[in-house]
Amino acid sequence: MGVQFWWFYDVIAAAVVLISIFVTVKKGFFKAALSALGYVIAIIIALSLSSSIGGSIYKNSIRESVTKKVDQSLTDRGYIDELGKYLESLGYNVSVDRDTLYDICISGEDVDQKIYKYLNNINNRKVDEEAIFMNKLHEGYASVTSGFVSKHLSEYSAEFTAEEIRNDPGKIYELLKLFDEPESLRKPAEFITDNYLKTPYTTLVKLITLIILLVLFLVITILIVASTGKDDKVAPTLVTHFFSGLIGIFKGAVIVFLIAAIVRLYVVMGSNKMLFFNHEAIDNTYIFKYVYNFVKDM
């Protein structure tokens, strides 16, 4: 959805740069140079501090909040029950005994093979080719885990969790073993937080910190430049106009970077499937995708 609006990102980026060039050239070279210095300082400080500050905020407050929400989502044997429902939905015409499945899961060893062998023995019939079944089972791990995550957390974090499990399904064994203490689901909640949710929520905090710092220092730069008065201290020439234009391009690029960070924040807070704010629309752009991907890869 929203893919047809891909062009809007490039239009905004081009408009920002062109307006920045026009305003910078009009104000003169002295103010252009002064504002360029401020923009450089602003982006250096924002990039350098957002990582350390964001990481500290996540560690000291956000991690515990996320863990509590995951803990609230999990219920006594609820994960195993949902996994059983998923296996029954695969069209194998089997009724999964939850106690048997629970014992297999908390064993923490060769869980995939044990589940496959168990299902084959229910009706004394091979349910599927092993490789095909394993792919379906791993998708089940991803679906069940992300389902619990999405109850109280963002869709993006649920999508990220599912993708992480698909990429490394073997790690799920460690999670399943932690359900052997049904009276306390704190340990599995912490495991999900530390292994699947740390990246999206650290990213969230870092983006918010980056945006706040960048906006703050850009505003300070604009106020300082405005306080120098209306008259430019350097006589305008073709050369000064040229360099002012280059500075305008740089300033416009910084603002486009800020816009990309805000768009990325919307995606992380919500979902990649959101109308307009989705990767497919951004990937279709000619210019904006490079700035957005730079923000995403930081």
Side-chain angles (χ1 to χ4, degrees), residues 207 211 215 256-267 277 295:
L207 280 170
I211 291 167
V215 169
V256 172
F257 172 83
L258 176 60
I259 293 171
I262 294 172
V263 171
R264 179 63 181 166
L265 178 62
Y266 268 98
V267 172
F277 296 109
V295 173

Side-chain angles (χ1 to χ4, degrees), residues 68-79:
K68 286 182 178 178
K69 289 182 179 180
V70 176
D71 195 1
Q72 291 171 4
S73 300
L74 298 172
T75 57
D76 181 17
R77 295 207 181 189
Y79 189 99

Side-chain angles (χ1 to χ4, degrees), residues 80-94:
I80 307 300
D81 185 54
E82 289 301 317
L83 183 58
K85 290 179 182 177
Y86 172 82
L87 293 172
E88 291 172 342
S89 71
L90 295 178
Y92 297 144
N93 193 29
V94 294

Side-chain angles (χ1 to χ4, degrees), residues 11 17 19 41 69 113 141 146 194 207 227 239 245 283 287:
V11 169
V17 172
I19 292 172
I41 294 173
K69 289 182 179 180
Q113 288 293 334
Y141 294 148
S146 63
D194 293 337
L207 280 170
S227 68
V239 174
D283 287 341
I287 302 171

Side-chain angles (χ1 to χ4, degrees), residues 19-281:
I19 292 172
S20 177
I21 293 172
F22 174 78
V23 172
T24 304
V25 171
K26 186 177 180 181
K27 288 188 175 182
F29 181 73
F30 175 76
K31 288 188 175 182
L34 186 60
S35 62
L37 177 62
Y39 272 57
V40 169
I41 294 173
I43 198 162
I44 290 175
I45 292 176
L47 287 173
S48 60
L49 292 183
S50 61
S51 181
S52 57
I53 294 175
S56 178
I57 292 174
Y58 172 81
K59 182 178 179 181
N60 294 324
S61 59
I62 303 299
R63 177 186 179 276
E64 180 61 24
S65 175
V66 171
T67 301
K68 286 182 178 178
K69 289 182 179 180
V70 176
D71 195 1
Q72 291 171 4
S73 300
L74 298 172
T75 57
D76 181 17
R77 295 207 181 189
Y79 189 99
I80 307 300
D81 185 54
E82 289 301 317
L83 183 58
K85 290 179 182 177
Y86 172 82
L87 293 172
E88 291 172 342
S89 71
L90 295 178
Y92 297 144
N93 193 29
V94 294
S95 179
V96 177
D97 181 77
R98 299 302 191 267
D99 290 333
T100 302
L101 182 61
Y102 176 80
D103 291 338
I104 292 173
C105 288
I106 66 171
S107 69
E109 296 178 357
D110 298 325
V111 174
D112 290 2
Q113 288 293 334
K114 289 178 180 178
I115 292 176
Y116 183 58
K117 182 178 179 181
Y118 167 63
L119 293 183
N120 285 336
N121 290 336
I122 292 178
N123 296 324
N124 293 317
R125 178 170 55 88
K126 189 175 182 179
V127 294
D128 218 329
E129 293 300 323
E130 184 174 339
I132 297 174
F133 173 79
M134 292 306 171
N135 287 333
K136 292 180 179 179
L137 179 59
H138 296 163
E139 183 60 34
Y141 294 148
S143 177
V144 171
T145 309
S146 63
F148 281 103
V149 169
S150 66
K151 286 184 179 180
H152 297 295
L153 299 171
S154 71
E155 283 296 323
Y156 175 83
S157 63
E159 292 169 12
F160 187 90
T161 297
E163 193 59 29
E164 286 292 290
I165 293 173
R166 294 186 189 104
N167 293 334
D168 186 10
K171 189 185 290 185
I172 207 75
Y173 289 6
E174 299 175 52
L175 172 61
L176 296 174
K177 283 180 66 176
L178 298 175
F179 286 105
D180 64 347
E181 298 179 13
E183 65 276 4
S184 175
L185 297 171
R186 173 75 184 187
K187 288 183 179 179
E190 287 180 339
F191 182 91
I192 291 172
T193 299
D194 293 337
N195 287 275
Y196 303 128
L197 299 176
K198 180 179 180 180
T199 296
Y201 279 93
T202 301
T203 300
L204 175 66
V205 178
K206 286 181 180 179
L207 280 170
I208 293 173
T209 307
L210 172 67
I211 291 167
I212 291 174
L213 289 174
L214 188 54
V215 169
L216 175 63
F217 283 98
L218 288 182
V219 169
I220 292 174
T221 298
I222 292 170
L223 292 176
I224 291 174
V225 172
S227 68
T228 61
K230 294 182 179 180
D231 296 330
D232 189 23
K233 296 176 176 57
V234 179
T237 65
L238 186 61
V239 174
T240 59
H241 284 331
F242 173 75
F243 283 104
S244 294
L246 292 180
I247 292 172
I249 294 174
F250 168 72
K251 289 168 61 179
V254 172
I255 296 173
V256 172
F257 172 83
L258 176 60
I259 293 171
I262 294 172
V263 171
R264 179 63 181 166
L265 178 62
Y266 268 98
V267 172
V268 174
M269 290 179 66
S271 167
N272 176 44
K273 299 175 183 177
M274 292 171 64
L275 175 64
F276 188 63
F277 296 109
N278 63 75
H279 290 163
E280 191 174 351

